[in-house]
């Protein structure tokens, strides 16, 4: 219903003060009126009958209301309207009406709304409450002041207004809720004072959807309805209405005060701010009665489920009425009418309350708007959150699917990874194998190159030697020629010199002859002078005579002449003497020259003679040397043959940098024979407590110190190697603990095996000039765990085959069945054999040495020679044996397979010792336990009888290996002291 309709009712109604207190409706009547209003809502209020809203309504609209609302008149306006003078008189000012409205709201709230949901109470919708209030309060007052027949219409205008409209204006709630609210609205109207029932009803409904204005309306309407009920009782109500009212009465709560008159309604409206507080926040249990402003209005506390009726104007109410606290079916509590002052007071109160309410409402509005904003904010947030949630859910799903995909991918990748890993492993393995193979190949290649290099060096050395010889020969020839040429030259020079000297002599002779001639001339001249002088003397004599005559006279003259003559004779004698001495010196010079030329030719002759003598001597010496070398060789072989036993040489390897402490070792005769060795043993404590160090002295055929090279070692044994070519069985062993240098001595690139084979080749080649031609066959086997393996077959073939040792007693030869024998046509074949054997050789790790040879390896070289010139043949064997490490089981720390290996090694080495010891006893026909081990069985013909045996005992200089070193050296000493027998050459002469 439009509010304007209400206003029109208000205008039309002639509300006036109730004529008397008896005119106030009884509670029963009020309930009936409520019911009536409910049932009469639309039926009795046709829209067409509604008058248009007054034009002045807009003037009084409250500005602070947010929603446009129908123009309504305030109570004051209404009072000012013509025909409502009485009401104007009776009703309080608009402000007072506000107060009533507030009270009404508070009352409703305190009756259950606010207590049901206190927080909700704060969100009361002010937009709806105001017009409803106007609707409800206005007619109420009109009703009370105007004629009764208008009350019905008023009731319609107030109570029959569907709450949905109010709600539609305020909250736009769904229609279903509107209907529900409509019901509640009506119920609220009919039971405005039944707090708990209202609570019950409203608690079941959605209070959040509800507008407080409905409650306000209902409360106020119910209060005013009571006025109408009372009026109806006075005869303004139809029968139907009455019936409905009866029904309402029946449904009304018995505890409702039978005095719920207008006064009661106003009391409810006047509930005060305290009640309003209840509305806005007090819980259900703290419901209190109204809090009137005046002492006369002091409320009685309302008990739960019970509202005590407190008449507002006790002066006007009989005391009996106060006693009636419960409304009964036929209760007629009556109604005490107000005086105009009361109404004014009350209206003032109501106005004040309305003001308060208004303020509270404004605050509420503010708060509400804040809340709305907050709600909007929250809604937006909720929407956002929902959207986010949806988004996150979809993302989550997506992520789940992605996760699944990734998981599948991961599984696939893992599988791939495994495949790749295994492939990689395979490849790594292949690579490792390839690397090892490559390393092996490289090593062998390196060794081969090294050997090539060695061969090349030797070849070059040989060529160099040859060249030097050639050069020497050529030089000798040249010297001879030169000497001859020089001699010739000298002779010619001598001849020339001779002729020159002869010429000189001739010249000298000529000169001398000339000098003689000159002397003769001088002499002749002197003679002539003497003659002339003699003539002069004669003349003078004559003259003397004459003079003698003149004798006296002449005598004087004669004496003077004589004297002059004597002087002159003396001078001539001097001149002759001088010339004679010159002649003598010239003669001496000629003689000297003649004697020098002879001395020279003599010295030449002497030199020549000496040269010839020197040549003769050199030839003699060479012949002597050759003779002596031959004798030496013969003697060596004779010694070898005579000795015939095992010869023992010891070799001490150098100490490595990281090997630890070095033992005290001395080589007393290092600069002499170099045969002795002294080792200072460990400290020993005697029973008396004195600590001593024992010196262990050893003596062997040769002692090689740490600085000895393999070349020097080989130089000592090369004659022995050559014996193999001469038809001997030669065996060279390397014995010693692991790491003592056996492999280094025997099989390294410059070890005994390559050197021996090279020497054999060289010697064989040299022997070809003397008519010898050799056929050589090589085989390489190892004895591992008392089994023979062919090192020249592939390891698989060798493991399958069983090799046996067979002996040819007649030929004194050993044959191993099923092994590969390689004809050795060149030095390269030896390289190949060594290479293959090296790769097949079993090497295992032990505690003693990282790369330890755990088997005995035997390189067998068979040499069959034939001399086509002499018809001789020879068959020799060279066995080069690298024995396995001799360390004791305890010190090796070997376990499992290694332990078995060590046991077998020790067994075979001890058998070797037994065989040597048995051979040493030298008893003819005595048993030699060759067969006790594969090694001794294999070397049967190389150990005794027709053999030349050399044992190298290898020793480590380290203090840590001292015990093993002493054990090895003691064993070697034992072998050295053993005389096995005489070696015999295996040569045959062709018939
Ligand atoms: N005279 C030496 N000069 C230099 N180094 C040597 C000498 N003797 C041995 N060595 C070194 O000592 C180490 C061990 O030598 P080698 O392998 O020959 O011992 P081994 O007795 O043969 O051991 P295994 O019984 O395990 O075969 C090697 O590194 C080797 O080069």
């Amino acid at each position: 219903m439009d509010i304007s309709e209400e206003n029109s009712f208000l205008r039309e109604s002639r509300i006036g003060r109730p004529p008397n207190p008896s005119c106030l409706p009884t509670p029963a009547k009020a309930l009936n009126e409520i019911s009536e209003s409910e049932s009469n809502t639309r039926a009795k209020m046709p829209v067409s009958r509604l008058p248009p809203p007054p034009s002045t309504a807009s003037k009084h609209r409250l500005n602070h209301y947010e929603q446009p609302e129908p123009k309504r008149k305030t109570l004051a306006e209404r009072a000012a309207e013509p025909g409502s003078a009485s009401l104007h008189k009776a009703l309080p000012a608009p402000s007072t009406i506000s107060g009533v409205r507030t009270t009404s709201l508070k009352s409703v709230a305190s009756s259950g709304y606010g207590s049901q949901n206190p927080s909700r109470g704060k969100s009361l919708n002010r937009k709806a409450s105001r017009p409803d209030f106007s609707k409800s309060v206005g007619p109420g007052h009109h009703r009370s002041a105007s004629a009764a027949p208008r009350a019905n219409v008023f009731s319609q205008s107030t109570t029959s207004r569907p709450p949905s409209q109010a709600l539609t204006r305020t909250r736009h709630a769904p229609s279903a809720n509107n209907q529900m609210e409509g019901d509640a609205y009506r119920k609220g109207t009919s039971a405005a004072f039944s707090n708990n029932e209202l609570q019950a009803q409203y608690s079941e409904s959605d209070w959040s959807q509800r507008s407080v204005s409905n409650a306000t309306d209902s409360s106020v309407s119910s209060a005013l309805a009571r006025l109408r009920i009372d009026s109806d009782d006075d005869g303004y109500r139809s029968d139907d209405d009455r019936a409905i009212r009866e029904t309402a009465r029946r449904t009304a709560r018995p505890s409702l005060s039978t005095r719920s008159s207008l006064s009661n309604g106003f009391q409810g409206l006047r509930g005060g701010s305290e009640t309003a507080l209840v509305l806005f926040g007090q819980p259900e249990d703290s419901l209190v009665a109204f809090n009137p402003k005046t002492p006369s209005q002091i409320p009685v506390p309302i008990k739960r489920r019970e509202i005590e009726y407190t008449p507002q104007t006790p002066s006007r109410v009989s005391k009996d009425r106060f006693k009636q606290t419960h409304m009964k079916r036929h209760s007629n509590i009556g109604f005490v009418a107000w005086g105009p002052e009361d109404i004014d007071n009350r209206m003032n109160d109501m106005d004040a309350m309305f003001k308060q309410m208004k303020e509270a409402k404004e605050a509420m509005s503010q708060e509400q708007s804040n809340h709305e904003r907050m709600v909007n904010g929250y809604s937006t947030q909720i929407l956002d959150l929902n959207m986010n949630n949806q988004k996150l859910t979809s993302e989550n799903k997506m992520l789940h699917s992605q996760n699944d995909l990734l998981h599948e991918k991961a599984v696939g990748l893992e599988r791939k990874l495994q495949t790749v890993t295994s492939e990689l492993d395979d490849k790594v393995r292949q690579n490792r194998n390839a690397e090892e193979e490559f390393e092996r190949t490289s090593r062998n290649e390196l060794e081969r190159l090294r050997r090539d290099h060695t061969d090349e060096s030797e070849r070059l050395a040989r060529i160099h030697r040859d060249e030097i010889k050639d050069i020497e020969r050529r030089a000798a020839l040249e010297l001879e020629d030169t000497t001859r040429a020089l001699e010739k030259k000298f002779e010619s020079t001598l001849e020339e010199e001779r002729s020159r000297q002869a010429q000189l002599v001739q010249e000298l002779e000529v000169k001398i002859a000339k000098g003689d001639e000159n002397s003769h001339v001088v002499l002749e001249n002197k003679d002539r002078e003497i003659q002339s002088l003699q003539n002069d003397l004669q003349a003078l004599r004559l003259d003397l005579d004459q003079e003698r005559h003149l004798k006296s006279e002449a005598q004087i003259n004669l004496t003077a002449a004589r004297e002059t003559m004597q002087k002159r004779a003396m001078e001539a004698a001097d001149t002759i003497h001088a010339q004679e001495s010159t002649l003598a010196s010239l003669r001496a010079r000629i003689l000297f020259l003649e004697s020098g030329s002879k001395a020279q030719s003599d010295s030449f002759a002497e030199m020549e003679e000496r040269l010839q003598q020197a040549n003769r001597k050199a030839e003699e010496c060479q012949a002597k040397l050759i003779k002596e070398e031959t004798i030496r060789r013969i003697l060596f072989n004779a010694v070898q043959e005579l000795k015939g036993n095992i010869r023992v040489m010891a070799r001490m390897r150098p100490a490595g940098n990281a090997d630890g402490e070095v033992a005290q070792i001395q080589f007393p005769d290092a600069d002499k024979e170099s045969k002795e060795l002294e080792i200072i043993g460990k400290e020993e404590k005697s029973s008396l407590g004195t600590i001593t160090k024992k010196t262990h002295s050893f003596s062997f055929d040769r002692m090689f110190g740490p600085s000895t090279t393999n070349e020097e070692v080989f130089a000592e044994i090369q004659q022995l190697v050559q014996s193999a070519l001469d038809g001997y069985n030669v065996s060279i062993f390397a014995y010693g603990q692991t790491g003592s240098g056996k492999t280094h001595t025997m099989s390294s690139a410059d070890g005994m095996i390559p050197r021996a084979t090279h020497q054999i080749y060289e010697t064989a080649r040299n022997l070809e000039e003397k008519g010898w031609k050799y056929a050589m066959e090589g085989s390489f086997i190892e004895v591992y765990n008392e089994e023979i393996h062919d090192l020249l077959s592939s390891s698989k073939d060798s493991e399958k085959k069983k090799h046996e040792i067979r002996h040819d007693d007649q030929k004194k030869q050993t044959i191993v069945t099923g092994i590969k024998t390689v004809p050795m046509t060149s030095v390269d074949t030896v390289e190949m054999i060594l290479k293959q054997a090296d790769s097949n050789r079993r090497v295992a790790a032990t505690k003693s040495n990282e790369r330890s040879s755990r088997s005995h390896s035997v390189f067998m070289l068979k040499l069959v020679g034939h001399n086509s010139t002499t018809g001789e043949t020879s068959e020799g064997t060279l066995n080069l044996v690298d024995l396995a490490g001799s360390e004791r089981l305890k010190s090796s720390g070997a376990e499992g397979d290694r332990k078995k290996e060590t046991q077998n090694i020790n067994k075979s080495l001890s058998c070797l010792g037994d065989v040597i010891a048995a051979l040493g006893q030298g008893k003819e026909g005595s048993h030699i336990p060759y067969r006790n081990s594969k090694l001794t069985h294999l070397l049967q013909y190389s150990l005794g009888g027709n053999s030349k045996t050399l044992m190298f005992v290898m020793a480590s200089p380290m203090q840590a290996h001292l015990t093993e070193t002493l054990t090895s050296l003691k064993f070697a000493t034992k072998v050295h002291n053993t005389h096995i027998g005489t070696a015999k050459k295996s040569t045959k002469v062709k018939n």
Side-chain angles (χ1 to χ4, degrees):
M1 183 191 281
D2 198 346
I3 291 172
S4 59
E5 290 170 28
E6 285 183 39
N7 292 336
S8 67
F9 283 119
L10 284 171
R11 272 199 310 274
E12 284 168 21
S13 65
R14 290 172 304 204
I15 299 170
R17 289 178 60 185
N20 51 54
S22 64
C23 293
L24 290 169
T26 62
K29 281 179 183 174
L31 289 171
N32 283 338
E33 175 59 26
I34 291 162
S35 304
E36 189 184 38
S37 70
E38 285 169 352
S39 57
N40 288 343
T41 304
R42 284 183 184 81
K44 291 187 180 179
M45 200 170 60
V47 174
S48 57
R49 283 174 59 198
L50 295 174
S55 59
T56 56
S58 62
K59 277 201 296 188
H60 306 286
R61 184 184 299 159
L62 292 173
N63 292 332
H64 62 275
Y65 287 150
E66 288 175 12
Q67 284 194 353
E69 52 190 26
K71 265 185 1 200
R72 299 195 59 144
K73 287 188 179 178
T74 63
L75 289 172
E77 282 171 338
R78 285 171 195 155
E81 278 175 8
S84 14
S86 58
L87 181 65
H88 184 58
K89 263 181 154 183
L91 291 172
S95 62
T96 316
I97 296 169
S98 301
V100 171
R101 186 169 160 254
T102 310
T103 309
S104 171
L105 274 167
K106 287 170 186 174
S107 163
V108 171
S110 66
S111 68
Y113 184 97
S115 63
Q116 178 66 26
N117 192 347
S119 62
R120 289 283 182 190
K122 289 184 181 175
S123 62
L124 288 173
N125 197 322
R126 61 184 166 81
K127 293 169 190 170
S129 64
R130 187 179 170 265
D132 291 347
F133 169 74
S134 299
K135 279 192 294 182
S136 58
V137 172
H141 284 285
H142 282 288
R143 179 68 189 89
S144 63
S146 64
R150 280 296 177 199
N152 198 13
V153 181
F154 171 78
S155 174
Q156 284 177 358
S157 72
T158 57
T159 62
S160 66
R161 180 172 162 239
S164 61
Q165 287 181 6
L167 287 169
T168 308
R169 279 192 221 128
T170 58
R171 302 177 66 100
H172 308 287
S175 58
N177 285 346
N178 289 349
Q179 183 57 47
M180 194 174 69
E181 283 175 6
D183 296 343
Y185 174 82
R186 281 188 287 278
K187 284 172 188 169
T189 308
S190 62
F193 300 101
S194 177
N195 296 339
N196 289 332
E197 282 191 6
L198 279 168
Q199 278 175 14
Q201 286 166 6
Y202 289 128
S203 65
E204 288 165 8
S205 64
D206 182 10
W207 277 97
S208 64
Q209 304 274 333
R210 225 164 261 284
S211 169
V212 173
S213 63
N214 292 341
T216 311
D217 288 347
S218 63
S219 159
V220 176
S221 303
S222 66
L224 296 175
R226 280 178 211 114
L227 294 172
R228 285 202 311 272
I229 292 164
D230 289 344
S231 304
D232 282 355
D233 286 345
D234 290 337
Y236 290 104
R237 200 173 48 207
S238 69
D239 290 340
D240 289 341
D241 290 344
R242 200 169 290 119
I244 294 161
R245 198 181 61 191
E246 278 300 314
T247 314
R249 270 183 198 151
R250 261 182 254 118
T251 56
R253 193 180 161 75
S255 62
L256 190 67
S257 171
T258 52
R259 298 287 181 185
S260 59
S261 60
L262 181 61
S263 154
N264 198 5
F266 276 124
Q267 191 182 30
L269 289 170
R270 205 185 52 215
S273 59
E274 286 77 10
T275 316
L277 286 173
V278 171
L279 170 67
F280 297 123
Q282 289 295 321
E284 185 184 41
D285 290 338
S286 63
L287 284 173
V288 290
F290 302 127
N291 189 11
K293 299 291 182 187
T294 58
S296 62
Q297 293 170 345
I298 292 168
V300 179
I302 298 169
K303 288 180 188 170
R304 190 175 176 84
R305 296 188 171 272
E306 190 175 271
I307 301 171
E308 193 177 321
Y309 176 69
T310 310
Q312 299 301 309
T313 51
S315 60
R316 297 183 188 193
V317 180
S318 68
K319 284 185 179 177
D320 293 339
R321 290 187 182 183
F322 283 102
K323 289 175 188 170
Q324 193 171 356
T325 54
H326 297 288
M327 191 169 65
K328 292 175 185 169
R329 182 186 175 118
H330 300 294
S331 295
N332 185 1
I333 58 171
F335 191 83
V336 180
W338 290 285
E341 298 85 19
D342 286 341
I343 291 171
D344 285 344
N345 286 339
R346 282 165 202 282
M347 288 307 283
N348 286 336
D349 287 346
M350 283 168 69
D351 231 359
M353 281 192 285
F354 182 71
K355 263 187 188 168
Q356 283 179 352
M357 180 68 184
K358 204 171 155 187
E359 285 166 12
K361 198 174 176 184
E362 279 171 8
M364 275 166 49
S365 304
Q366 191 64 36
E367 206 173 340
Q368 189 187 3
S369 63
N370 290 341
H371 279 291
E372 273 172 2
R373 273 198 300 275
M374 278 167 65
V375 165
N376 286 339
Y378 287 141
S379 306
T380 337
Q381 278 184 11
I382 286 165
L383 281 172
D384 288 349
L385 285 170
N386 278 340
M387 277 166 63
N388 279 347
N389 188 25
Q390 282 174 359
K391 218 190 277 173
L392 286 171
T393 313
S394 60
E395 275 178 13
N396 192 22
K397 276 182 190 164
M398 208 167 70
L399 285 172
H400 268 301
S401 59
Q402 278 180 1
N403 188 27
D404 290 346
L405 277 171
L406 286 173
H407 187 255
E408 280 172 19
K409 264 187 196 170
V411 169
L413 283 173
E414 210 171 306
R415 244 176 262 133
K416 230 184 214 175
L417 190 71
Q418 280 174 355
T419 326
V420 169
T421 313
S422 61
E423 280 174 7
L424 208 66
D425 284 346
D426 288 348
K427 277 188 183 162
V428 166
R429 218 174 296 121
Q430 283 171 5
N431 277 351
R432 207 184 300 129
N433 290 341
E435 260 175 36
E436 282 173 5
E437 182 59 37
F438 179 73
E439 200 181 316
R440 217 167 21 244
T441 319
S442 317
R443 203 171 48 236
N444 292 334
E445 188 67 17
L446 197 71
E447 280 177 13
R448 196 182 63 75
L449 285 172
R450 221 180 271 160
R451 275 190 215 117
D452 281 354
H453 177 70
T454 317
D455 290 346
E456 191 62 24
S457 310
E458 284 175 3
R459 196 177 61 78
L460 287 172
R462 220 165 29 240
I463 291 166
H464 190 62
R465 271 202 301 275
D466 291 347
E467 278 176 0
I468 287 171
K469 274 181 190 169
D470 275 1
I471 289 165
E472 275 175 3
R473 201 170 51 245
R474 262 186 271 129
L477 288 171
E478 274 173 19
L479 187 69
E480 219 167 286
D481 292 345
T482 314
T483 312
R484 229 171 280 136
L486 279 171
E487 276 174 4
K488 273 179 193 168
K489 202 175 171 185
F490 183 71
E491 275 172 10
S492 62
T493 313
L494 199 65
E495 205 63 38
E496 280 171 14
E497 189 66 21
R498 253 184 220 152
S499 58
R500 200 172 60 81
Q501 289 294 334
Q503 206 174 344
L504 275 173
V505 169
Q506 277 175 2
E507 281 172 6
L508 282 171
E509 279 172 355
V510 170
K511 274 184 184 174
I512 288 164
K514 273 182 184 173
D516 284 346
E517 278 175 14
N518 288 336
S519 303
H520 280 294
V521 171
V522 172
L523 283 174
E524 278 173 7
N525 287 337
K526 295 288 176 190
D527 282 334
R528 269 192 301 274
E529 279 178 14
I530 291 166
Q531 201 64 15
S532 69
L533 284 172
Q534 279 174 353
N535 288 332
D536 285 337
L537 190 59
Q538 282 271 333
L540 283 168
R541 276 177 189 168
L542 287 173
D543 284 331
L544 188 54
D545 287 328
Q546 288 175 356
E547 294 263 343
R548 250 177 230 171
H549 193 336
L550 297 167
K551 202 177 170 178
S552 55
E553 290 167 69
Q555 249 179 341
I556 299 165
N557 288 333
L558 184 65
T559 318
R562 270 187 188 162
E563 280 173 4
T564 310
M565 276 296 286
Q566 275 174 348
K567 267 184 183 176
R568 284 187 182 176
M570 274 174 74
E571 283 173 7
D574 287 337
T575 305
I576 288 163
H577 184 72
Q579 282 189 352
E580 274 176 1
S581 61
T582 305
L583 186 67
S585 70
L586 281 171
R587 277 189 182 145
R589 198 178 166 193
I590 288 162
L591 280 172
F592 170 71
L593 284 171
E594 280 177 358
S595 67
S597 133
K598 194 185 174 188
Q600 273 184 346
S601 53
D602 285 348
S603 69
F604 273 113
E606 196 184 350
M607 274 168 70
E608 205 173 335
E609 198 174 343
R610 272 186 194 168
L611 193 67
Q612 281 172 2
Q613 274 177 0
N615 282 339
R616 270 197 303 277
K617 267 187 182 173
E619 278 168 13
E620 277 171 19
C621 281
Q622 207 170 357
K624 206 176 173 184
L625 197 68
I626 293 164
K627 214 174 174 183
E628 277 176 0
E629 176 66 18
T630 315
I631 293 165
R632 194 186 72 81
R633 284 183 188 175
I634 292 162
L635 283 174
F636 175 79
N637 280 326
V639 168
Q640 290 288 316
E641 284 185 11
L642 281 169
K643 279 182 91 178
N645 60 349
I646 289 182
R647 296 169 64 209
V648 179
M649 295 182 181
R651 186 178 190 188
M652 185 69 70
R653 77 163 171 85
N657 292 335
D659 282 355
E661 198 192 338
V662 181
Q664 285 178 278
I665 299 167
Q666 289 162 6
F667 305 95
D669 62 342
D671 47 355
K672 293 175 195 163
E673 285 183 301
S674 195
K675 287 183 173 182
E676 288 172 9
L677 170 71
E678 279 179 9
I679 296 177
I680 315 298
K682 288 180 184 172
E683 284 182 353
E684 284 174 12
K685 206 172 180 180
S686 70
S687 53
L688 295 171
T690 48
I691 295 169
T692 50
K693 278 184 179 179
K694 197 175 173 186
T695 303
H696 304 270
S697 300
F698 301 95
S699 179
F700 302 105
D701 290 307
R702 184 78 159 82
M703 177 68 226
F704 299 106
S707 58
T708 319
T709 61
N710 277 345
E711 192 179 1
E712 288 167 323
V713 174
F714 184 72
E716 285 292 320
I717 65 161
Q718 62 183 355
Q719 296 298 330
L720 191 64
V721 171
Q722 203 169 332
S723 298
L725 281 171
D726 298 335
Y728 291 95
N729 280 342
V730 178
S731 294
I732 300 172
F733 294 92
Y735 176 90
Q737 71 174 108
T738 297
S740 55
K742 298 185 295 293
T743 311
H744 176 80
T745 305
M746 297 300 285
S747 320
S748 64
D750 68 336
M752 301 305 117
I753 295 177
R755 280 182 185 278
T757 45
H758 283 133
Q759 194 206 330
I760 283 169
Y761 265 101
E762 205 173 323
T763 315
R765 205 174 57 188
N766 291 337
L767 286 172
E768 279 176 13
E769 291 169 9
K770 294 178 183 172
W772 282 98
K773 201 154 190 165
Y774 283 91
M776 296 180 228
E777 282 179 350
S779 52
F780 213 151
I781 59 169
E782 70 168 1
V783 181
Y784 174 70
N785 274 346
E786 286 301 288
E787 278 181 18
I788 291 174
H789 297 272
D790 186 3
L791 291 177
L792 300 184
S793 300
S794 70
S795 52
K796 279 182 190 173
D797 296 345
S798 177
E799 271 167 30
K800 278 180 207 163
K801 277 186 193 171
K802 283 270 172 197
H803 305 284
E804 284 176 18
I805 302 167
R806 297 209 179 120
H807 293 297
D808 183 343
D809 266 340
Q810 278 190 338
K811 287 185 179 178
K812 301 285 179 195
Q813 277 181 354
T814 305
I815 297 156
V816 180
T817 59
I819 60 164
K820 192 172 175 181
T821 306
V822 181
M824 300 179 71
T825 48
S826 68
V827 179
D828 290 346
T829 323
V830 184
E831 310 291 342
M832 188 271 290
I833 285 176
L834 291 174
K835 202 165 128 183
Q836 198 167 352
D838 184 52
S839 66
N840 287 333
R841 188 152 191 212
R842 287 170 193 276
V843 175
T846 67
K847 193 175 162 187
S848 304
N849 194 9
E850 268 182 36
R851 192 178 181 280
S852 174
S853 306
R854 310 301 303 151
S855 58
H856 312 292
S857 70
V858 185
F859 176 73
M860 296 188 292
L861 191 63
K862 204 178 219 182
L863 305 161
V864 180
H866 177 70
N867 193 327
S868 54
T869 316
T870 59
E872 280 180 301
T873 53
S874 73
E875 282 182 27
T877 314
L878 175 66
N879 294 318
L880 297 162
V881 188
D882 183 359
L883 292 171
S886 64
E887 64 274 7
R888 286 175 300 176
L889 190 60
K890 220 180 190 179
S891 69
S892 74
E895 282 173 12
D897 285 351
R898 298 287 95 82
K899 189 176 178 181
K900 193 182 163 193
E901 281 174 4
T902 311
Q903 282 171 340
N904 282 320
I905 291 164
N906 288 346
K907 182 190 162 193
S908 56
L909 290 176
S910 118
C911 286
L912 181 66
D914 293 345
V915 166
I916 291 169
L919 286 169
Q921 286 173 358
K923 286 179 188 167
E924 196 74 30
S926 62
H927 173 69
I928 311 291
Y930 291 115
R931 286 176 180 265
N932 281 2
S933 80
K934 278 275 181 327
L935 180 70
T936 46
H937 194 203
L938 179 74
L939 300 172
Q940 185 171 335
Y941 293 127
S942 300
L943 287 171
N946 184 30
S947 67
K948 289 185 177 184
T949 307
L950 171 69
M951 178 181 276
F952 279 115
V953 57
M954 304 297 172
S956 161
M958 310 318 300
Q959 183 71 31
H961 302 153
L962 194 62
T963 314
E964 290 296 333
T965 303
L966 289 173
T967 311
S968 300
L969 291 171
K970 280 172 189 168
F971 175 78
T973 307
K974 231 159 108 180
V975 175
H976 185 234
N977 295 336
T978 306
H979 180 86
I980 288 178
T982 307
K984 283 176 190 161
K985 198 175 176 179
S986 173
T987 47
K988 289 176 193 167
V989 183
K990 204 178 170 186
N991 292 329

